[in-house]
Amino acid sequence: MKRLSVPALLAVLFAVLVWASQTGALNIYWQSVIMFMGVNIILSSSLNIINGNMGEFSCGHAGFMAVGAYVSSVLSVALFAKSAAFGQPLLPPSLAVWFFPVILLVGGLAASVVGLLVAIPSFKTRGDYLAIITIAAAYIVKSTIENINIIGGARGFMGMGSVMNAMENTANLPWMMVWVFVGTVFSVWLIRRFIYSTFGKGVDAISQDEIAAEIMSVDTNHIKLVAFMVSCGLAGVAGGLFAHILGYVNPGSFTILKSTEIMVMVYLGGMGSLTGSVLSAILVTLLMEALRPLQIIKWVVIPLVLVLLMQFRPEGIMGRRELADVFPGLRKFYKFKG
Amino acid sequence: MLQSLLQNILNALQWGSFYSLIALGYCLVYGVLLLINFAHGDIFMVGAYIAFFVCTFLLGKFGLIPGLPGWLVMTLAVPLTMILTAVVGVTLERVAYRPLRRKGVNRLYVVITALMCGLILENGNLALLGASRKSFPTLIPTHVYHFFGVTVTNLKLMVIGVAILGFLLLQFIVSRTKIGMAMRAISYDRFAVPLMGIPADTVIVFTFVLGSAFAGLAGIFFAMTYPVLDPYMGALIGWKAFIAAVVGGIGSIAGAFAGGFLLGFVEIMVVAFFPSTFRDLIAFSILLLILSIRPTGLFGVAKSTKI
């Protein structure tokens, strides 16, 4: 009974969200806010692997998100929608429902391959230089996208809306909500498994002391490679979801500001705390929506929040603790086998 | 062919001068504090804006002293801009970096703070002054000289001259004066220096003054060369100047200077042979390559870690 408590809770939440979106109990605005919460949860918890658990400093996460967004958008439009760029759909649009998770995963895989751009230099460099490399990678991705004309260059790329419509014609459900929920649960589950595995212990060892870890026979290069690829791949999945929620992507949405947003979530939640990054993603999304009327001042307030956070509580909301450390009573529900 | 090559080389020298001036500031702060001052590009932007306000304040019929000639305004504006930009840089150090340094927190937090301060400067500027671009007043009439079919403006020569002079001045300060010696000492061992009776904080403030003043210098000349200012002009140039500093080997002044010119050459040559949208792409790719092959840059010395 206890073992099933978390899946049961998630199932209830899932049912409530789908029902509320289907009947219109949640209006479109709140639906989109909840979907962005899901995307942000994926982004912040995946960046937390690198910035929190591994103790590196990656500030180009939006670049990998852009890779995933573009790859999955281009795939879904080319396969299931009529478009000016790719002509007739290659497959009947009724198959879109079945292939959509595959498309998301392919986007994630592409992003993790681009993550090699960062992972390979990270064998040699650490700290500040790696930060520069991540930013350079994000810029490279962005300007590459801007230079490819077939996917619209700097003008952006659209057409994902018709794929969504095709899904809703197949089965009348709020599909985007379903996929965001599934993607978020999958990502958090994967990251949790990763962190508590032997690999995760290796990541922790690297963050404590890389040289000592190397001496204690931790294969640091391998672990860095895997950690970066998992993190970037999940960012790609998040990007794919983001693109399909909006129905439109352009390279301008994946700038340093987006990376900053994700970093704010990670550091507000606490470095290396998965629960913290999930909580802070929810909080920051609400904060962003609350600050939306301020327009440009928003981008003064958000960095300021981070600066003040660094000054007065650098460990964030949770520090390195999980929810189970704060409420030990929860432990019996969260037990891992082994 | 030869003429266009010469012309390109001159353009590259001018473009590289800006990079060098900004890269020198990066290099100074990094050399002393081992901190990448991510806000430096935005301090350059602030410098350009300060130059704009100083010049419009002094120039014209309604200026402070009506009817000042342009060259006089320029000679007044350069030191004023440098001083005011230095004030901005030192304020940043006081408000954001020093408390963190005092607490002795992880260096990562300082880097994040720097990055965020840069964003605050950019967007604060946008919020305060609006998105309309400011056009910089013309201070000195442009003279065009022709040598062997190559055109040179007096401004171009001035920029290149200023960059070289600035580099020599910095080299002199760091290698020949007492405060320069203190700077080198701090970068060598930050914990032993206060024990020797050297006021470490004063030296760090002086470093920020120097670096920011150079950013201001770059700002005013940049504004004179390309007289359109916008709040985001510092971001990309700052990044690239940092790339220049890294490519040269961060922490070595000659390296930063050479790296700036190298990057200038690369970019101008890319624009000469490829479509101009490839410029950033190739610049950043070169950075990745260099860092993958030589993590310490071209002039850098590898540090060994004691276990």
Side-chain angles (χ1 to χ4, degrees):
Chain A
M1 200 53 222
K2 275 177 187 170
R3 258 188 52 223
L4 289 175
S5 58
V6 174
L9 252 179
L10 285 175
V12 168
L13 183 64
F14 179 66
V16 166
L17 279 181
V18 170
W19 173 83
S21 324
Q22 184 71 342
T23 55
L26 277 174
N27 61 23
I28 298 288
Y29 173 72
W30 278 108
Q31 276 184 46
S32 70
V33 169
I34 285 173
M35 286 195 262
F36 283 128
M37 261 180 210
V39 171
N40 285 340
I41 286 172
I42 303 177
L43 285 170
S44 70
S45 51
S46 65
L47 185 64
N48 209 343
I49 296 177
I50 297 175
N51 282 21
N53 296 74
M54 207 152 79
E56 291 290 3
F57 181 50
S58 159
C59 40
H61 217 53
F64 307 109
M65 191 180 161
V67 175
Y70 263 88
V71 169
S72 58
S73 310
V74 167
L75 263 180
S76 74
V77 169
L79 290 177
F80 303 114
K82 215 162 71 173
S83 60
F86 306 107
Q88 289 297 331
L90 300 171
L91 294 171
S94 56
L95 288 176
V97 175
W98 308 107
F99 275 92
F100 189 69
V102 179
I103 287 173
L104 277 186
L105 282 179
V106 171
L109 282 176
S112 60
V113 170
V114 176
L116 286 176
L117 263 186
V118 179
I120 289 171
S122 81
F123 298 162
K124 277 189 178 178
T125 47
R126 263 193 80 89
D128 304 342
Y129 281 92
L130 198 62
I132 300 299
I133 287 173
T134 54
I135 285 177
Y139 262 111
I140 286 173
V141 166
K142 190 168 168 275
S143 28
T144 310
I145 289 171
E146 278 170 357
N147 281 318
I148 301 175
N149 265 330
I150 193 165
I151 55 173
R155 293 186 307 280
F157 181 77
M158 55 199 313
M160 287 78 87
S162 53
V163 181
M164 292 293 113
N165 293 339
M167 281 192 211
E168 280 173 17
N169 291 340
T170 314
N172 193 4
L173 277 174
W175 278 111
M176 222 40 244
M177 187 63 99
V178 173
W179 291 129
V180 169
F181 191 88
V182 171
T184 308
V185 171
F186 167 76
S187 302
V188 173
W189 171 82
L190 186 76
I191 289 168
R192 189 170 146 76
R193 286 289 175 185
F194 179 79
I195 287 171
Y196 282 91
S197 68
T198 319
F199 263 108
K201 302 239 185 338
V203 169
D204 249 1
I206 289 177
S207 92
Q208 302 292 331
D209 188 337
E210 196 177 334
I211 297 160
E214 187 70 56
I215 291 167
M216 296 302 284
S217 81
V218 175
D219 188 350
T220 48
N221 284 0
H222 186 195
I223 284 182
K224 278 181 187 174
L225 191 76
V226 172
F228 268 107
M229 285 181 83
V230 167
S231 175
C232 297
L234 287 174
V237 171
L241 288 168
F242 178 83
H244 283 84
I245 292 170
L246 287 178
Y248 165 75
V249 270
N250 81 353
S253 26
F254 304 109
T255 50
I256 188 105
L257 290 181
K258 188 81 198 170
S259 305
T260 306
E261 222 175 287
I262 307 167
M263 275 194 297
V264 172
M265 289 173 208
V266 171
Y267 292 113
L268 184 71
M271 290 158 80
S273 157
L274 182 56
T275 333
S277 54
V278 171
L279 283 177
S280 71
I282 294 170
L283 270 178
V284 170
T285 314
L286 290 173
L287 183 75
M288 291 275 182
E289 291 304 320
L291 291 179
R292 197 171 287 280
L294 290 179
Q295 289 162 0
I296 190 67
I297 311 253
K298 179 171 114 171
W299 286 112
V300 182
V301 172
I302 289 166
L304 201 61
V305 167
L306 200 48
V307 168
L308 293 175
L309 198 74
M310 290 297 141
Q311 298 277 358
F312 298 112
R313 196 180 158 80
E315 67 272 22
I317 299 174
M318 303 285 286
R320 262 199 174 262
R321 298 171 307 170
E322 298 291 346
L323 205 57
D325 301 331
V326 185
F327 305 108
L330 289 171
R331 256 182 228 289
K332 49 183 180 275
F333 298 103
Y334 283 103
K335 265 251 175 65
F336 271 132
K337 296 195 293 284
Chain B
M1 183 63 216
L2 186 68
Q3 277 175 12
S4 70
L5 191 71
L6 275 176
Q7 185 69 55
N8 271 332
I9 286 176
L10 268 173
N11 293 345
L13 278 174
Q14 182 195 20
W15 193 230
S17 300
F18 294 124
Y19 281 151
S20 288
L21 280 174
I22 304 171
L24 286 174
Y26 266 119
C27 173
L28 276 175
V29 174
Y30 188 87
V32 172
L33 282 181
L34 293 183
L35 152 77
I36 297 178
N37 185 6
F38 275 124
H40 196 74
D42 299 302
I43 290 178
F44 155 79
M45 179 273 296
V46 169
Y49 268 82
I50 287 175
F52 167 78
F53 285 118
V54 166
C55 290
T56 44
F57 183 66
L58 291 172
L59 205 67
K61 284 211 300 269
F62 309 106
L64 190 66
I65 307 156
L68 272 184
W71 58 268
L72 192 59
V73 170
M74 199 185 88
T75 43
L76 285 175
V78 168
L80 259 176
T81 307
M82 283 172 82
I83 290 165
L84 290 173
T85 318
V87 168
V88 173
V90 171
T91 310
L92 207 62
E93 196 267 340
R94 267 296 158 86
V95 174
Y97 306 158
R98 186 181 289 186
L100 286 176
R101 221 174 39 240
R102 285 277 163 79
K103 284 178 200 159
V105 293
N106 192 336
R107 266 188 37 239
L108 191 69
Y109 298 150
V110 190
V111 172
I112 295 165
T113 305
L115 197 61
M116 293 305 121
C117 286
L119 283 174
I120 290 174
L121 283 178
E122 272 171 34
N123 295 303
N125 180 348
L126 193 59
L128 279 176
L129 302 176
S132 62
R133 298 183 160 193
K134 304 261 180 290
S135 62
F136 200 76
T138 314
L139 294 181
I140 41 172
T142 314
H143 289 291
V144 183
Y145 308 110
H146 295 275
F147 297 107
F148 317 110
V150 179
T151 53
V152 189
T153 61
N154 51 355
L155 198 59
K156 206 172 268 194
L157 290 175
M158 211 177 345
V159 169
I160 298 170
V162 162
I164 292 170
L165 278 179
F167 163 66
L168 293 176
L169 178 74
L170 263 189
Q171 195 71 326
F172 173 78
I173 287 178
V174 171
S175 59
R176 296 258 182 269
T177 61
K178 239 180 180 159
I179 196 142
M181 197 191 278
M183 278 155 79
R184 279 178 292 146
I186 288 186
S187 82
Y188 187 77
D189 187 344
R190 221 168 77 202
F191 299 100
V193 161
L195 306 177
M196 298 289 152
I198 299 169
D201 271 343
T202 313
V203 178
I204 287 170
V205 164
F206 179 74
T207 311
F208 270 88
V209 166
L210 264 186
S212 309
F214 271 83
L217 188 66
I220 185 167
F221 279 101
F222 192 86
M224 279 161 67
T225 318
Y226 306 100
V228 179
L229 308 182
D230 78 291
Y232 290 102
M233 67 191 251
L236 201 56
I237 291 187
W239 282 122
K240 285 187 184 159
F242 181 74
I243 292 178
V246 170
V247 166
I250 198 154
S252 107
I253 290 180
F257 188 67
F261 279 107
L262 188 73
L263 190 66
F265 268 98
V266 167
E267 290 208 340
I268 297 286
M269 292 305 158
V270 165
V271 174
F273 295 109
F274 292 102
S276 62
T277 44
F278 279 45
R279 202 175 65 184
D280 300 354
L281 190 66
I282 291 181
F284 281 109
S285 308
I286 284 175
L287 164 84
L288 269 187
L289 263 178
I290 286 181
L291 278 186
S292 309
I293 299 164
R294 290 207 54 161
T296 49
L298 300 176
F299 287 65
V301 188
K303 275 186 183 169
S304 56
T305 321
K306 268 191 189 165
I307 305 173

